[in-house]
Amino acid sequence: MDLILEAGTVVDEKFEVIELLGSGGMGQVFKARQIGLGRIVALKLLHADTLDSADSWARFDREAQTLAMLTHANIATFYAFGIWQEKLPYIAMEYLEGISLADLLIRDGKLNWSRTLKLCAQICEAMEHAHKAGVIHRDLKPANIII
């Protein structure tokens, strides 16, 4: 079940929701303003049942700590993570202006060879960097790639 947050809702006293960006199997992503810094972020709220045991909470904490160490030109910067209302895990990361690869393909159709090769190289470089840090994306798809 999706969590409906209205514009102006404050998450964990740190992030003010601006608008819903999208929903998926793991949760919802909102455009939000980081209070105190005024920075615009992508705030991903995971479904409450995503972390259903002490082991899954510990894994979330370890993965968030690892993500925080990733620094790469083709990976959105990780800013913060936490638990809101003692049950909803969230991750705040760099908000990227642009179009998803999925939307680009719908809009433009088949991409030319040169552009495809450049995009694939950037995606592979980002994944290589993440994999070397022990991070597996788990949901790599055109809708999650911002151009």
Side-chain angles (χ1 to χ4, degrees):
M1 179 175 171
D2 286 342
L3 176 68
I4 305 300
L5 296 183
E6 295 181 15
T9 300
V10 176
V11 174
D12 208 18
E13 300 178 15
K14 297 175 187 169
F15 303 97
E16 180 183 1
V17 171
I18 297 170
E19 65 181 313
L20 176 67
L21 296 174
S23 291
M26 294 289 291
Q28 295 175 299
V29 180
F30 297 87
K31 182 177 182 179
R33 182 175 299 104
Q34 189 171 5
I35 297 170
L37 295 177
R39 151 172 76 194
I40 302 300
V41 303
L43 182 66
K44 183 172 187 175
L45 283 169
L46 305 176
H47 296 302
D49 62 355
T50 302
L51 305 180
D52 57 0
S53 69
D55 286 342
S56 60
W57 285 92
R59 187 174 60 251
F60 173 72
D61 184 64
R62 282 192 311 274
E63 288 178 2
Q65 296 288 342
T66 302
L67 288 172
M69 294 186 301
L70 290 180
T71 304
H72 191 277
N74 297 319
I75 298 176
T77 302
F78 179 91
Y79 293 138
F81 74 101
I83 308 296
W84 182 43
Q85 299 179 337
E86 299 181 11
K87 63 183 175 200
L88 295 169
Y90 68 84
I91 296 171
M93 47 197 325
E94 179 181 8
Y95 173 76
L96 300 171
E97 294 280 349
I99 185 172
S100 73
L101 179 56
D103 289 340
L104 179 70
L105 291 169
I106 290 168
R107 186 188 76 192
D108 295 353
K110 185 177 176 182
L111 302 179
N112 69 43
W113 174 250
S114 175
R115 185 157 193 204
T116 300
L117 186 59
K118 287 177 187 175
L119 289 174
C120 287
Q122 291 174 357
I123 294 165
C124 289
E125 288 170 8
M127 291 301 94
E128 177 185 36
H129 180 76
H131 291 172
K132 284 182 178 178
V135 176
I136 306 299
H137 191 286
R138 294 189 188 153
D139 196 22
L140 185 61
K141 59 187 178 185
N144 290 338
I145 297 169
I146 304 299
I147 306 299

